[in-house]
Amino acid sequence: MSYKLMLVENDIVLSKAIQEYLIDQGFNVYIASNGLEAFNLANQYNFNLIISDIMMPLVNGYELLEKLQNTKALSKIPVIFLTAKGMTKDRIKGYDMGCYGYLSKPFDPEELVSLIKNLIARDISQHTSTEKCDISKQSINQKIHLTPREASVLDLVIDGLTNKEISTILDTSIRNVEKYVSRLLQKTNMKNRTLLVKYSINNKLLDNVTNQRANDGTRTRE
């Protein structure tokens, strides 16, 4: 697989561990220790994806994403945030800025690989279709039916939980969670989890399935 990734992480031990794991999965992986170094590398190499920590010296993850988006040649590179920051407001900030995904440390490396593979699949789909997916053009009145289990999974995705965390809460396999997330993306015509969260919140997608969640036998949240 020729997919070229850049990992931006100031923890050298962690970055090496993640790099080795991703290389074993068949990816080309470059490493940067801060956002400034990452930005310089992005100008030298044609990356398909950037996986970045947020709290870093010189240029942090948010600043890196902003610099990329303000550079025409780099503005389309998707960014996955990998960080210890887990507060909802931090996830929302990343989503609002346009990050592709958001994983909180500690994380399951399989979850990261799943995000990457989903991005690859979406890229392939975009190249073979002229359909443009724009959340601002989605009809608020569009009727989308969710099964009780899909509603439960969506509820947890909006909370920013990983597939592994969702599988534990719902007492099911990670593979099943991935299947439900894929269904949700198809039903909403969204290309990634970030847009799925935005679309669901903006269109109050879960408002009509409260009773379904209660009947699904999963957790009840305040």
Side-chain angles (χ1 to χ4, degrees), residues 152-170:
S152 298
V153 171
L154 177 58
D155 198 14
L156 297 170
V157 169
I158 292 174
D159 277 351
L161 274 66
T162 66
N163 286 354
K164 183 178 181 181
E165 292 169 330
I166 294 173
S167 70
T168 299
I169 291 173
L170 299 183

Side-chain angles (χ1 to χ4, degrees), residues 37-70:
E37 182 181 351
F39 183 71
N40 291 333
L41 281 174
N43 279 286
Q44 298 176 44
Y45 300 97
N46 185 24
F47 290 107
N48 300 103
L49 171 67
I50 294 175
I51 304 162
S52 178
D53 191 11
I54 288 183
M55 302 306 293
M56 298 180 295
L58 299 181
V59 174
N60 65 36
Y62 294 135
E63 293 168 337
L64 170 61
L65 179 56
E66 186 174 16
K67 287 173 70 69
L68 292 170
Q69 292 176 335
N70 289 334

Side-chain angles (χ1 to χ4, degrees), residues 8-59:
V8 192
E9 169 62 62
N10 62 324
D11 184 328
I12 298 177
V13 175
L14 178 60
S15 64
K16 286 293 184 182
I18 297 174
Q19 181 188 39
E20 290 178 7
Y21 183 86
L22 292 177
I23 288 175
D24 286 342
Q25 299 299 312
F27 299 107
N28 257 336
V29 186
Y30 291 69
I31 288 181
S33 60
N34 59 68
L36 181 59
E37 182 181 351
F39 183 71
N40 291 333
L41 281 174
N43 279 286
Q44 298 176 44
Y45 300 97
N46 185 24
F47 290 107
N48 300 103
L49 171 67
I50 294 175
I51 304 162
S52 178
D53 191 11
I54 288 183
M55 302 306 293
M56 298 180 295
L58 299 181
V59 174

Side-chain angles (χ1 to χ4, degrees), residues 18-209:
I18 297 174
Q19 181 188 39
E20 290 178 7
Y21 183 86
L22 292 177
I23 288 175
D24 286 342
Q25 299 299 312
F27 299 107
N28 257 336
V29 186
Y30 291 69
I31 288 181
S33 60
N34 59 68
L36 181 59
E37 182 181 351
F39 183 71
N40 291 333
L41 281 174
N43 279 286
Q44 298 176 44
Y45 300 97
N46 185 24
F47 290 107
N48 300 103
L49 171 67
I50 294 175
I51 304 162
S52 178
D53 191 11
I54 288 183
M55 302 306 293
M56 298 180 295
L58 299 181
V59 174
N60 65 36
Y62 294 135
E63 293 168 337
L64 170 61
L65 179 56
E66 186 174 16
K67 287 173 70 69
L68 292 170
Q69 292 176 335
N70 289 334
T71 304
K72 185 175 181 180
L74 308 176
S75 61
K76 299 300 182 181
I77 303 176
V79 174
I80 292 177
F81 278 140
L82 188 66
T83 175
K85 296 174 72 66
M87 298 297 290
T88 300
K89 64 179 181 180
D90 297 313
R91 290 196 297 269
I92 291 175
K93 180 176 181 178
Y95 292 146
D96 287 343
M97 291 185 67
C99 73
Y100 176 80
Y102 199 114
L103 287 180
S104 297
K105 303 173 188 176
F107 68 97
D108 188 329
E110 291 184 4
E111 176 77 3
L112 177 58
V113 171
S114 178
L115 277 174
I116 296 171
K117 289 183 176 178
N118 185 59
L119 175 61
I120 294 173
R122 295 290 161 178
D123 282 349
I124 293 174
S125 176
Q126 286 179 349
H127 284 304
T128 57
S129 174
T130 57
E131 234 177 351
K132 298 292 183 179
C133 181
D134 188 344
I135 191 171
S136 64
K137 296 179 181 179
Q138 291 293 328
S139 171
I140 294 180
N141 295 320
Q142 182 180 3
K143 301 299 182 182
I144 297 177
H145 173 74
L146 299 182
T147 66
R149 183 49 62 109
E150 288 171 347
S152 298
V153 171
L154 177 58
D155 198 14
L156 297 170
V157 169
I158 292 174
D159 277 351
L161 274 66
T162 66
N163 286 354
K164 183 178 181 181
E165 292 169 330
I166 294 173
S167 70
T168 299
I169 291 173
L170 299 183
D171 192 23
T172 187
S173 68
I174 294 178
R175 187 175 297 275
N176 276 338
V177 175
E178 292 174 349
K179 178 183 68 176
Y180 285 115
V181 171
S182 178
R183 285 182 184 176
L184 289 166
L185 291 171
Q186 291 175 1
K187 285 188 174 184
T188 58
N189 197 28
M190 295 294 103
K191 64 181 180 179
N192 57 51
R193 290 167 71 114
T194 299
L195 292 181
L196 174 62
V197 170
K198 285 185 178 181
Y199 177 85
S200 301
I201 293 174
N202 289 342
N203 293 290
K204 301 179 180 180
L205 200 57
L206 288 177
D207 283 3
N208 296 325
V209 292

